[in-house]
Amino acid sequence: MVIDEEAFQGIMAAVAKASPSVAPMATFTPGPILEEVQAATKVGNRSLWVVFVIMVISSLAFYVMAYRVPAQKRLFHIITAFITTFAAISYYSMAVGDGIYNNTITVREPSSHGISDTYFYQSREVYWARYVDWSVTTPLLLLDLAFLAGLSGANIVVALVADIIMILTGLFAGLAKDESVSWGYYAMACIAYLVVVYQLAFNGRAAVAGKDQKTATFFTSIAGFTLLLWTAYPIIWGIADGARTLNVDGEIIAYAVLDVLAKPVFGFWLLFTHDAMSSSSVSLGGFWAHGLTTEGGIRVGDDDEGA
């Protein structure tokens, strides 16, 4: 049987109409979901233990120095010893693995090759115990400087409240799940820090100007040293917990160096200079030195006069 070309074309057209057309289905392939964990290694953990030992030894030294002076003159010694004591507890909790929170955020990395974006689950250790330490020790450090300068009570309160706001907003920034929220808290912390700087750099210098030249010079030196160190903390936070570009070990070591300088070194400098300068000495009597005495004490069981 022979089929001419015209008939063959007609048969093929009929087959094409009878066959259902199947179009390729659109598919969506999401980008790979990866997980990155940023955690401390043995290097970071050993650094925590080293600083813990330094804080313990410094605390013992400060308590011994306090014992060697009369109770009326122990104000700076007790405050400074408390600073390193709280810091030692904080570093111990971090070294044993407590006081740590794993904060996981989602990081979107846009693709440049026409495929779907890549998403990262990035988990990083946040040492919340460090913020608890700072919320106690930094106000105590400010008290040391405020008492040395003779800052007024109103200015002391403003400085302490600003300092606590600075630390709390820093903690909230470290725990935030959203990067934009985290940087918002960071901005609040920086503004609060500027208030602290103003109280020490301007009101503190104005207050200490009424004292002798040695005390004024000493305050300018040690307050400038403290503010210089404190300015480095938000920088470290920005590249560590903020941008997450500095690894956890680097963060631990950076904060460890700053904490040792801002607490034990600051404390020894303050107490040795304070003990050598009678003009900077603060003497507290009354309840601080002697406790409750019969004068002004509470009497139980005595009748009022004329009753």
Side-chain angles (χ1 to χ4, degrees):
M1 179 179 176
V2 179
I3 303 175
D4 60 11
E5 183 177 353
E6 184 177 350
F8 178 77
Q9 293 294 337
I11 293 172
M12 294 302 296
V15 171
K17 289 182 179 180
S19 301
S21 58
V22 180
M25 296 181 62
T27 58
F28 172 75
T29 305
I33 297 178
L34 308 175
E35 183 173 1
E36 178 186 357
V37 178
Q38 298 180 354
T41 66
K42 290 182 178 179
V43 174
N45 186 255
R46 289 170 182 168
S47 301
L48 294 172
W49 282 114
V50 169
V51 179
F52 164 70
V53 172
I54 293 174
M55 295 297 179
V56 170
I57 294 174
S58 300
S59 299
L60 294 175
F62 295 150
Y63 286 121
V64 171
M65 294 174 71
Y67 180 76
R68 297 175 61 181
V69 299
Q72 296 92 330
K73 299 182 180 296
R74 291 177 185 171
L75 178 62
F76 288 111
H77 301 75
I78 296 300
I79 292 176
T80 306
F82 284 166
I83 291 171
T84 50
T85 299
F86 282 112
I89 296 171
S90 170
Y91 270 92
Y92 178 81
S93 70
M94 293 186 288
V96 299
D98 295 329
I100 304 173
Y101 172 73
N102 287 295
N103 187 19
T104 302
I105 63 174
T106 302
V107 180
R108 173 176 169 269
E109 184 176 299
S111 174
S112 58
H113 303 289
I115 61 175
S116 56
D117 297 340
T118 302
Y119 292 86
F120 293 92
Y121 288 139
Q122 192 179 72
S123 177
R124 183 182 178 92
E125 290 182 341
V126 177
Y127 289 79
W128 59 263
R130 178 177 287 125
Y131 295 91
V132 176
D133 165 20
W134 291 340
S135 68
V136 178
T137 57
T138 54
L140 292 176
L141 275 162
L142 287 177
L143 286 179
D144 268 340
L145 294 173
F147 291 149
L148 178 64
L151 206 61
S152 69
N155 289 330
I156 291 175
V157 171
V158 171
L160 295 181
V161 171
D163 178 76
I164 294 173
I165 292 174
M166 175 183 69
I167 302 302
L168 291 181
T169 50
L171 173 60
F172 297 155
L175 299 179
K177 298 291 185 181
D178 187 282
E179 286 187 273
S180 60
V181 173
S182 178
W183 288 110
Y185 282 126
Y186 176 80
M188 297 179 195
C190 290
I191 294 172
Y193 174 59
L194 293 177
V195 175
V196 175
V197 172
Y198 177 80
Q199 293 299 327
L200 290 180
F202 293 93
N203 293 333
R205 289 185 64 183
V208 79
K211 296 190 175 184
D212 62 282
Q213 185 61 39
K214 287 186 178 180
T215 303
T217 302
F218 175 51
F219 171 80
T220 301
S221 300
I222 197 168
F225 171 77
T226 301
L227 292 178
L228 181 64
L229 293 176
W230 282 23
T231 303
Y233 281 91
I235 297 174
I236 298 301
W237 191 98
I239 61 177
D241 284 332
R244 299 194 172 197
T245 56
L246 179 66
N247 62 41
V248 178
D249 285 342
E251 173 192 345
I252 290 173
I253 293 172
Y255 281 139
V257 172
L258 291 176
D259 281 346
V260 170
L261 292 174
K263 292 168 185 174
V265 173
F266 167 90
F268 282 113
W269 184 12
L270 173 68
L271 296 185
F272 279 128
T273 306
H274 167 268
D275 290 347
M277 293 172 54
S278 59
S279 57
S280 66
S281 178
V282 177
S283 182
L284 298 177
F287 173 74
W288 171 269
H290 307 292
L292 290 176
T293 60
T294 55
E295 181 181 356
I298 299 175
R299 296 179 297 175
V300 179
D302 293 340
D303 294 333
D304 294 333
E305 292 182 5

